[in-house]
Amino acid sequence: MVKGLSPQEARARLNLIGRFLYDARAIDLWERDTKTLPWIFRRLRRKYRKFAQETIAPLALKSDSDPHQIDVKEIFLKAAREGLETELMPYPIGTGNPIALAKSFLLGPILKAEEFCAACAGIGLALLAHDLGIAPLFISGDPKATFKWMRRIYGEILNGEPAIAAFAITEPEAGSDAEETLGASRARVGCKAQRVKGGWVLNGRKVFISNGRVAKWITLFAALEGEGMESWTCFLLDKSMKGLSVGRSERKMGQRAADATELVLEDVFVPEDRVIGPVRGGWAINRNVLNYSRPVVGAIALGIARGAFERCLEFCHKHRLNDRPLVSYRYVQLELADMLIKIQAMRAMVWQAARYKIPFQTAGSAAKVFCSDMAWEVCNQAMKLMEENGFLHCHGIEKAARDARLTQIYEGTNQINRLAVVEGQLNAEFNIPDFYED
Amino acid sequence: MNIVEAFARTAKIFAEKEVSQGKAPQVLLAKVQELGFFDKDYGIWSLKNLGETALASYALLKELAKEDASFALMVHSVAINNQLGTYVALERLAVHLNGKNDVINLPAGEVLTDFTAFELVPRMGLKRCRLIRIEGGKTKEKIERSKALLFTKIHIAGICAVALGSAEKALSIAKRYSEERYQGGKVIKEHHAVKILIGEALKNIRISSMALERALENLRETPMTDLLSLWEHVRPACANTVSNCMQVLGGYGYMEDFGIEERLRDALTLRGLPPTGKRLLILLEEEVYG
C-alpha cells in the first residue's frame, strides 16, 4: 500500500550523496545515542549495560518484593570486581579512566545510573549511593581526604572488601533545610559536634540515609556546638566507632533494595584527621556534592523511565486485544511515541548537564526536576496503557512507577530544586534583590 | 437529618471506630450488614429511590474509603450484588468475594458462569480485596440493556467515590502535617510551594466531587458519556491529589508510616481498572457518535 513511500524506499531513489545525507537506517536509539559519544564513553556505556542486564536485572523483582533476601554487599562486590565502584579516581587510587574523567567527570556516573536503574532502581541506588558517600572526599579539595582516605577505602574495595560508603545529611527536623540556603539559615540543627582533645565528639541522629545499614564508611555533616548550619563540618566516620549505631530501616514505597536507615550518634569520638575539608567547610561541600549528584538523580529517573518503556513495549508486542497485538493499535503507538520523546528529552538534558566541565547548581537541579517529573509521567503512561496489567507486580511497571516517585523527593524535593534553579541564576539572570528575605 | 447525612455520619463513625482498626473484612462486612446498609430497599445503591440513595451511597463509600479503600470497594461490590443477585465485572474485571459465583459482565450485561477466575496478585494496591479477571466462561443469559447500563453507571460512580474518599483523607493528612512540620523556621503550610501543592489537590477534589455529585443526582438520566468522562477524570485527578500530598510530606510521605504511600498505590490501582487512558478516550468518542 505504501510501496515506494516509506523513508527507506524513498531514500533508495537518491544518488550516493543524497543517500549519505538521508539517514533512514533501522538503528535503535540506544545505539544511535551511544555512537555520538567519545569512544571511551561508548565502551563504558556498553560495559554498564552488560553488567546491568547480567547481574542487576535478574534480581529486580525479587529485590522489590523481598529486599531482605538480596545481598547488596555481594552485588556490590561483583560490581567492584568489574571496577565499577572505584571509578571516581584513576589509577593508582581507583579504577576510573583518566581520559574519561578529564573529558567529563559526570558523564560516566550518568551513563552508569541510566543503565543500572533501567534494570532496577533499588539495586542501582545501592550501588550509586556509594559514589555519593565517596564524593565529599574529593569534592572537598582536601588532599588528605583524597590521598589518605579515598586511597584507603578504594584499596579495601580493590582487595575484595565490601567497603560501601554512605552520605549523611538529612536529620529528623531538617530534611529540605539541609539542601537549601534559606531553610538552612533557620534550621533546627540536630546533629552536633563538640571539640575535644584530639578530635570531636558527635551527637545526634541522621535519617533516611541510603546504604546506612550496609555502609562501612559514612561522610556525615554536623554543626559545631551552639552554631547553625553555616558551621557544618564534614566528618568521615566508620561503623566500628564507639557510639555510632544503626537505627530503624524505613519501609519504603519503592527503590526497596537500597536501605534508608537511621544513624544514631551517641558521644562518637571522631579523630581530628577524619575532618574532611576545613572546619565549617561542610555546608559548601554539601552544596557542591548536590551539584554533582543531582544530574545523576536525573539519570536514575531516566533509567527508570527507559526500563518502564522497554518493558511496556515488550508487553504491547506480546499482549493481544481483540486478536491483534496491542502494539498494532494506533492509539498505543501514539502513547509509546510520546513516552519515547520524553525519554529522549531526558537524556538530552542529563547529557547536557555532563558537558559542563564543572557541574553547577542550575544545571544539576534542572536536570533532576525535569527528569524525575518526566519519569513519573512515563511510568504512569505505561501503567495506563497496560490497564490492569500495569498494576501487576510481574510486569515491573508498577515497580518502576513506585521507584520513579522517589526521584521527585530525594536529593531535595522538586520544589526545593526549583528554588535552587532561581538561586543558581540569581545574580546572572533573575536579579531578585529580596530573594533571601522570605 | 436526610438520608445522605445519615449514611455519611453512620459510615464515618463506623469507619473511624471499626475499619481503621484493621479488622478482618468478613467481620466488617457482617457489621455493615447489621447496620442495614445492604438492605435491598433502603441500602446502598437501592433502586427504589435511586435519586437519594445514590448520593447517600456515594457519601458512605467515601467515608469508608477514607480509612480503607479496599474495604470500601468490597462494600460497593457486595451492595451491587445485593441489588442484582450477582457480582458485576467491568470489562471482565471484578471485586469478587469468592471468585466462584456468577458475574454480570458490564456493560454487555451477560451473566457469565463457569468462568476461570484469575486473581490479580501480587499487585500494587487495594491489597485487601479480591480482585479477579474472568476468562472464558459461558453466557447463561443477558440482562436488559437499560439495567446493564444503569449498573455500569453505578459501578463507575462507586469506584470514583472510593477514589475520592481515599484522596480526601490523603489531603487531610497532608494538611495536618503541613501545620505541624517546620522547615526554614516556619510551618511548611506557609511556604508557597506547599500552598500550591495543597491548593491543586483541593482543586482536583472539588471539581471531581461537584461533577460526581451532579451526575448522581439523577443517575438514570445522566448520559453514559458523562460517567465515562468522570471515570477518566476522577481517578487520575485523585491519583494526582494523593501524589501532591505525598510531596508535601517529602521523605516521610514515601515511607509506610503516614499512610500516604498506601493511598497512592491504591489510587494508581483504581486508576488502572479498565477501560482507561487513550482506549477510554476512543470509547468515549465512539459513544459521542453513537
Side-chain angles (χ1 to χ4, degrees), chain B residues 74-99:
Chain B
M74 270 189 269
V75 169
H76 172 56
S77 186
V78 172
I80 294 182
N81 186 3
N82 280 355
Q83 296 300 327
L84 272 173
T86 71
Y87 289 100
V88 295
L90 188 60
E91 295 204 334
R92 292 184 162 255
L93 216 76
V95 174
H96 199 303
L97 289 201
N98 59 35

PDB file of all heavy atoms in Angstrom, chain B residues 74-99:
ATOM      1  N   MET B  74     -15.015  -3.397  48.486  1.00  0.00           N
ATOM      2  CA  MET B  74     -15.747  -4.638  48.777  1.00  0.00           C
ATOM      3  C   MET B  74     -17.203  -4.339  49.100  1.00  0.00           C
ATOM      4  O   MET B  74     -18.114  -5.030  48.634  1.00  0.00           O
ATOM      5  CB  MET B  74     -15.089  -5.340  49.975  1.00  0.00           C
ATOM      6  CG  MET B  74     -14.001  -6.295  49.588  1.00  0.00           C
ATOM      7  SD  MET B  74     -13.479  -7.252  51.009  1.00  0.00           S
ATOM      8  CE  MET B  74     -12.169  -6.242  51.608  1.00  0.00           C
ATOM      9  N   VAL B  75     -17.420  -3.302  49.914  1.00  0.00           N
ATOM     10  CA  VAL B  75     -18.789  -2.925  50.288  1.00  0.00           C
ATOM     11  C   VAL B  75     -19.574  -2.555  49.024  1.00  0.00           C
ATOM     12  O   VAL B  75     -20.724  -2.984  48.840  1.00  0.00           O
ATOM     13  CB  VAL B  75     -18.765  -1.753  51.295  1.00  0.00           C
ATOM     14  CG1 VAL B  75     -20.157  -1.163  51.483  1.00  0.00           C
ATOM     15  CG2 VAL B  75     -18.194  -2.219  52.626  1.00  0.00           C
ATOM     16  N   HIS B  76     -18.944  -1.806  48.161  1.00  0.00           N
ATOM     17  CA  HIS B  76     -19.578  -1.399  46.900  1.00  0.00           C
ATOM     18  C   HIS B  76     -19.974  -2.627  46.082  1.00  0.00           C
ATOM     19  O   HIS B  76     -21.095  -2.728  45.578  1.00  0.00           O
ATOM     20  CB  HIS B  76     -18.570  -0.526  46.136  1.00  0.00           C
ATOM     21  CG  HIS B  76     -18.965  -0.165  44.753  1.00  0.00           C
ATOM     22  ND1 HIS B  76     -20.144   0.470  44.447  1.00  0.00           N
ATOM     23  CD2 HIS B  76     -18.322  -0.337  43.561  1.00  0.00           C
ATOM     24  CE1 HIS B  76     -20.214   0.672  43.138  1.00  0.00           C
ATOM     25  NE2 HIS B  76     -19.120   0.186  42.585  1.00  0.00           N
ATOM     26  N   SER B  77     -19.072  -3.567  45.999  1.00  0.00           N
ATOM     27  CA  SER B  77     -19.303  -4.758  45.193  1.00  0.00           C
ATOM     28  C   SER B  77     -20.438  -5.623  45.779  1.00  0.00           C
ATOM     29  O   SER B  77     -21.312  -6.099  45.053  1.00  0.00           O
ATOM     30  CB  SER B  77     -18.005  -5.549  45.112  1.00  0.00           C
ATOM     31  OG  SER B  77     -18.145  -6.613  44.248  1.00  0.00           O
ATOM     32  N   VAL B  78     -20.401  -5.780  47.105  1.00  0.00           N
ATOM     33  CA  VAL B  78     -21.432  -6.592  47.761  1.00  0.00           C
ATOM     34  C   VAL B  78     -22.787  -5.896  47.642  1.00  0.00           C
ATOM     35  O   VAL B  78     -23.824  -6.551  47.439  1.00  0.00           O
ATOM     36  CB  VAL B  78     -21.067  -6.831  49.252  1.00  0.00           C
ATOM     37  CG1 VAL B  78     -22.213  -7.497  50.003  1.00  0.00           C
ATOM     38  CG2 VAL B  78     -19.812  -7.680  49.350  1.00  0.00           C
ATOM     39  N   ALA B  79     -22.792  -4.576  47.737  1.00  0.00           N
ATOM     40  CA  ALA B  79     -24.050  -3.833  47.636  1.00  0.00           C
ATOM     41  C   ALA B  79     -24.687  -4.029  46.262  1.00  0.00           C
ATOM     42  O   ALA B  79     -25.902  -4.246  46.153  1.00  0.00           O
ATOM     43  CB  ALA B  79     -23.795  -2.350  47.895  1.00  0.00           C
ATOM     44  N   ILE B  80     -23.874  -3.993  45.220  1.00  0.00           N
ATOM     45  CA  ILE B  80     -24.419  -4.220  43.875  1.00  0.00           C
ATOM     46  C   ILE B  80     -24.915  -5.661  43.752  1.00  0.00           C
ATOM     47  O   ILE B  80     -25.976  -5.922  43.177  1.00  0.00           O
ATOM     48  CB  ILE B  80     -23.354  -3.907  42.793  1.00  0.00           C
ATOM     49  CG1 ILE B  80     -23.016  -2.417  42.808  1.00  0.00           C
ATOM     50  CG2 ILE B  80     -23.867  -4.303  41.415  1.00  0.00           C
ATOM     51  CD1 ILE B  80     -22.022  -1.989  41.742  1.00  0.00           C
ATOM     52  N   ASN B  81     -24.167  -6.557  44.329  1.00  0.00           N
ATOM     53  CA  ASN B  81     -24.573  -7.966  44.334  1.00  0.00           C
ATOM     54  C   ASN B  81     -25.955  -8.105  44.971  1.00  0.00           C
ATOM     55  O   ASN B  81     -26.816  -8.834  44.477  1.00  0.00           O
ATOM     56  CB  ASN B  81     -23.518  -8.763  45.117  1.00  0.00           C
ATOM     57  CG  ASN B  81     -23.755 -10.259  45.071  1.00  0.00           C
ATOM     58  OD1 ASN B  81     -24.672 -10.720  44.414  1.00  0.00           O
ATOM     59  ND2 ASN B  81     -22.933 -11.010  45.771  1.00  0.00           N
ATOM     60  N   ASN B  82     -26.192  -7.363  46.060  1.00  0.00           N
ATOM     61  CA  ASN B  82     -27.493  -7.432  46.732  1.00  0.00           C
ATOM     62  C   ASN B  82     -28.615  -6.936  45.835  1.00  0.00           C
ATOM     63  O   ASN B  82     -29.724  -7.420  45.897  1.00  0.00           O
ATOM     64  CB  ASN B  82     -27.463  -6.587  48.009  1.00  0.00           C
ATOM     65  CG  ASN B  82     -26.791  -7.337  49.133  1.00  0.00           C
ATOM     66  OD1 ASN B  82     -26.443  -8.508  48.980  1.00  0.00           O
ATOM     67  ND2 ASN B  82     -26.604  -6.681  50.251  1.00  0.00           N
ATOM     68  N   GLN B  83     -28.290  -5.955  45.006  1.00  0.00           N
ATOM     69  CA  GLN B  83     -29.329  -5.391  44.148  1.00  0.00           C
ATOM     70  C   GLN B  83     -29.595  -6.262  42.925  1.00  0.00           C
ATOM     71  O   GLN B  83     -30.717  -6.387  42.474  1.00  0.00           O
ATOM     72  CB  GLN B  83     -28.916  -3.976  43.680  1.00  0.00           C
ATOM     73  CG  GLN B  83     -28.783  -2.961  44.796  1.00  0.00           C
ATOM     74  CD  GLN B  83     -30.072  -2.768  45.569  1.00  0.00           C
ATOM     75  OE1 GLN B  83     -31.166  -2.859  45.023  1.00  0.00           O
ATOM     76  NE2 GLN B  83     -29.944  -2.538  46.874  1.00  0.00           N
ATOM     77  N   LEU B  84     -28.548  -6.860  42.403  1.00  0.00           N
ATOM     78  CA  LEU B  84     -28.672  -7.607  41.139  1.00  0.00           C
ATOM     79  C   LEU B  84     -28.747  -9.121  41.313  1.00  0.00           C
ATOM     80  O   LEU B  84     -29.197  -9.826  40.424  1.00  0.00           O
ATOM     81  CB  LEU B  84     -27.460  -7.295  40.257  1.00  0.00           C
ATOM     82  CG  LEU B  84     -27.546  -6.087  39.343  1.00  0.00           C
ATOM     83  CD1 LEU B  84     -26.200  -5.839  38.689  1.00  0.00           C
ATOM     84  CD2 LEU B  84     -28.599  -6.281  38.267  1.00  0.00           C
ATOM     85  N   GLY B  85     -28.274  -9.587  42.433  1.00  0.00           N
ATOM     86  CA  GLY B  85     -28.247 -11.031  42.654  1.00  0.00           C
ATOM     87  C   GLY B  85     -26.935 -11.668  42.234  1.00  0.00           C
ATOM     88  O   GLY B  85     -26.710 -12.844  42.482  1.00  0.00           O
ATOM     89  N   THR B  86     -26.089 -10.928  41.565  1.00  0.00           N
ATOM     90  CA  THR B  86     -24.748 -11.446  41.235  1.00  0.00           C
ATOM     91  C   THR B  86     -23.747 -10.300  41.337  1.00  0.00           C
ATOM     92  O   THR B  86     -24.122  -9.131  41.343  1.00  0.00           O
ATOM     93  CB  THR B  86     -24.647 -11.997  39.792  1.00  0.00           C
ATOM     94  OG1 THR B  86     -24.690 -10.897  38.912  1.00  0.00           O
ATOM     95  CG2 THR B  86     -25.716 -12.985  39.446  1.00  0.00           C
ATOM     96  N   TYR B  87     -22.482 -10.676  41.366  1.00  0.00           N
ATOM     97  CA  TYR B  87     -21.430  -9.665  41.317  1.00  0.00           C
ATOM     98  C   TYR B  87     -21.385  -9.065  39.914  1.00  0.00           C
ATOM     99  O   TYR B  87     -21.917  -9.658  38.973  1.00  0.00           O
ATOM    100  CB  TYR B  87     -20.069 -10.284  41.636  1.00  0.00           C
ATOM    101  CG  TYR B  87     -19.921 -10.665  43.090  1.00  0.00           C
ATOM    102  CD1 TYR B  87     -20.094 -11.977  43.510  1.00  0.00           C
ATOM    103  CD2 TYR B  87     -19.616  -9.698  44.038  1.00  0.00           C
ATOM    104  CE1 TYR B  87     -19.971 -12.315  44.840  1.00  0.00           C
ATOM    105  CE2 TYR B  87     -19.488 -10.033  45.377  1.00  0.00           C
ATOM    106  CZ  TYR B  87     -19.671 -11.345  45.767  1.00  0.00           C
ATOM    107  OH  TYR B  87     -19.551 -11.665  47.086  1.00  0.00           O
ATOM    108  N   VAL B  88     -20.747  -7.915  39.795  1.00  0.00           N
ATOM    109  CA  VAL B  88     -20.570  -7.350  38.448  1.00  0.00           C
ATOM    110  C   VAL B  88     -19.086  -7.210  38.141  1.00  0.00           C
ATOM    111  O   VAL B  88     -18.257  -7.060  39.042  1.00  0.00           O
ATOM    112  CB  VAL B  88     -21.242  -5.966  38.288  1.00  0.00           C
ATOM    113  CG1 VAL B  88     -22.741  -6.072  38.426  1.00  0.00           C
ATOM    114  CG2 VAL B  88     -20.653  -4.944  39.223  1.00  0.00           C
ATOM    115  N   ALA B  89     -18.810  -7.278  36.859  1.00  0.00           N
ATOM    116  CA  ALA B  89     -17.443  -7.025  36.386  1.00  0.00           C
ATOM    117  C   ALA B  89     -17.520  -5.939  35.333  1.00  0.00           C
ATOM    118  O   ALA B  89     -18.511  -5.862  34.595  1.00  0.00           O
ATOM    119  CB  ALA B  89     -16.854  -8.287  35.771  1.00  0.00           C
ATOM    120  N   LEU B  90     -16.552  -5.095  35.285  1.00  0.00           N
ATOM    121  CA  LEU B  90     -16.477  -4.134  34.190  1.00  0.00           C
ATOM    122  C   LEU B  90     -15.335  -4.605  33.301  1.00  0.00           C
ATOM    123  O   LEU B  90     -14.194  -4.733  33.772  1.00  0.00           O
ATOM    124  CB  LEU B  90     -16.198  -2.723  34.729  1.00  0.00           C
ATOM    125  CG  LEU B  90     -16.282  -1.597  33.703  1.00  0.00           C
ATOM    126  CD1 LEU B  90     -17.669  -1.511  33.081  1.00  0.00           C
ATOM    127  CD2 LEU B  90     -15.933  -0.262  34.331  1.00  0.00           C
ATOM    128  N   GLU B  91     -15.683  -4.900  32.057  1.00  0.00           N
ATOM    129  CA  GLU B  91     -14.703  -5.462  31.128  1.00  0.00           C
ATOM    130  C   GLU B  91     -13.983  -6.662  31.739  1.00  0.00           C
ATOM    131  O   GLU B  91     -12.764  -6.761  31.707  1.00  0.00           O
ATOM    132  CB  GLU B  91     -13.705  -4.396  30.685  1.00  0.00           C
ATOM    133  CG  GLU B  91     -14.351  -3.302  29.873  1.00  0.00           C
ATOM    134  CD  GLU B  91     -13.367  -2.600  28.973  1.00  0.00           C
ATOM    135  OE1 GLU B  91     -12.173  -2.585  29.289  1.00  0.00           O
ATOM    136  OE2 GLU B  91     -13.810  -2.077  27.936  1.00  0.00           O
ATOM    137  N   ARG B  92     -14.750  -7.539  32.333  1.00  0.00           N
ATOM    138  CA  ARG B  92     -14.272  -8.816  32.884  1.00  0.00           C
ATOM    139  C   ARG B  92     -13.344  -8.677  34.091  1.00  0.00           C
ATOM    140  O   ARG B  92     -12.568  -9.573  34.392  1.00  0.00           O
ATOM    141  CB  ARG B  92     -13.593  -9.665  31.791  1.00  0.00           C
ATOM    142  CG  ARG B  92     -14.593 -10.151  30.741  1.00  0.00           C
ATOM    143  CD  ARG B  92     -13.989 -11.062  29.722  1.00  0.00           C
ATOM    144  NE  ARG B  92     -15.045 -11.805  29.034  1.00  0.00           N
ATOM    145  CZ  ARG B  92     -15.315 -13.083  29.268  1.00  0.00           C
ATOM    146  NH1 ARG B  92     -14.630 -13.758  30.138  1.00  0.00           N
ATOM    147  NH2 ARG B  92     -16.295 -13.684  28.604  1.00  0.00           N
ATOM    148  N   LEU B  93     -13.414  -7.550  34.758  1.00  0.00           N
ATOM    149  CA  LEU B  93     -12.612  -7.373  35.971  1.00  0.00           C
ATOM    150  C   LEU B  93     -13.558  -7.109  37.138  1.00  0.00           C
ATOM    151  O   LEU B  93     -14.403  -6.219  37.042  1.00  0.00           O
ATOM    152  CB  LEU B  93     -11.671  -6.180  35.790  1.00  0.00           C
ATOM    153  CG  LEU B  93     -10.316  -6.360  36.434  1.00  0.00           C
ATOM    154  CD1 LEU B  93      -9.465  -7.284  35.582  1.00  0.00           C
ATOM    155  CD2 LEU B  93      -9.625  -5.022  36.544  1.00  0.00           C
ATOM    156  N   ALA B  94     -13.437  -7.896  38.203  1.00  0.00           N
ATOM    157  CA  ALA B  94     -14.421  -7.768  39.282  1.00  0.00           C
ATOM    158  C   ALA B  94     -13.769  -7.804  40.652  1.00  0.00           C
ATOM    159  O   ALA B  94     -12.724  -8.415  40.835  1.00  0.00           O
ATOM    160  CB  ALA B  94     -15.426  -8.912  39.179  1.00  0.00           C
ATOM    161  N   VAL B  95     -14.440  -7.114  41.593  1.00  0.00           N
ATOM    162  CA  VAL B  95     -14.113  -7.324  43.006  1.00  0.00           C
ATOM    163  C   VAL B  95     -15.108  -8.371  43.473  1.00  0.00           C
ATOM    164  O   VAL B  95     -16.309  -8.131  43.547  1.00  0.00           O
ATOM    165  CB  VAL B  95     -14.273  -6.018  43.816  1.00  0.00           C
ATOM    166  CG1 VAL B  95     -14.067  -6.295  45.295  1.00  0.00           C
ATOM    167  CG2 VAL B  95     -13.283  -4.988  43.332  1.00  0.00           C
ATOM    168  N   HIS B  96     -14.620  -9.548  43.732  1.00  0.00           N
ATOM    169  CA  HIS B  96     -15.480 -10.713  43.934  1.00  0.00           C
ATOM    170  C   HIS B  96     -15.025 -11.398  45.208  1.00  0.00           C
ATOM    171  O   HIS B  96     -13.852 -11.727  45.353  1.00  0.00           O
ATOM    172  CB  HIS B  96     -15.278 -11.634  42.709  1.00  0.00           C
ATOM    173  CG  HIS B  96     -16.367 -12.636  42.506  1.00  0.00           C
ATOM    174  ND1 HIS B  96     -16.710 -13.537  43.465  1.00  0.00           N
ATOM    175  CD2 HIS B  96     -17.174 -12.875  41.435  1.00  0.00           C
ATOM    176  CE1 HIS B  96     -17.690 -14.309  42.992  1.00  0.00           C
ATOM    177  NE2 HIS B  96     -17.997 -13.908  41.757  1.00  0.00           N
ATOM    178  N   LEU B  97     -15.957 -11.618  46.126  1.00  0.00           N
ATOM    179  CA  LEU B  97     -15.512 -12.139  47.422  1.00  0.00           C
ATOM    180  C   LEU B  97     -15.021 -13.570  47.359  1.00  0.00           C
ATOM    181  O   LEU B  97     -14.145 -13.959  48.115  1.00  0.00           O
ATOM    182  CB  LEU B  97     -16.634 -12.012  48.461  1.00  0.00           C
ATOM    183  CG  LEU B  97     -16.971 -10.601  48.934  1.00  0.00           C
ATOM    184  CD1 LEU B  97     -17.681 -10.645  50.266  1.00  0.00           C
ATOM    185  CD2 LEU B  97     -15.764  -9.685  49.026  1.00  0.00           C
ATOM    186  N   ASN B  98     -15.593 -14.382  46.477  1.00  0.00           N
ATOM    187  CA  ASN B  98     -15.109 -15.776  46.457  1.00  0.00           C
ATOM    188  C   ASN B  98     -14.577 -16.205  45.089  1.00  0.00           C
ATOM    189  O   ASN B  98     -13.962 -17.262  44.978  1.00  0.00           O
ATOM    190  CB  ASN B  98     -16.204 -16.737  46.927  1.00  0.00           C
ATOM    191  CG  ASN B  98     -17.442 -16.646  46.075  1.00  0.00           C
ATOM    192  OD1 ASN B  98     -17.349 -16.432  44.863  1.00  0.00           O
ATOM    193  ND2 ASN B  98     -18.604 -16.809  46.672  1.00  0.00           N
ATOM    194  N   GLY B  99     -14.837 -15.429  44.056  1.00  0.00           N
ATOM    195  CA  GLY B  99     -14.308 -15.772  42.732  1.00  0.00           C
ATOM    196  C   GLY B  99     -15.033 -16.914  42.049  1.00  0.00           C
ATOM    197  O   GLY B  99     -14.585 -17.391  41.009  1.00  0.00           O
TER     198      GLY B  99
END
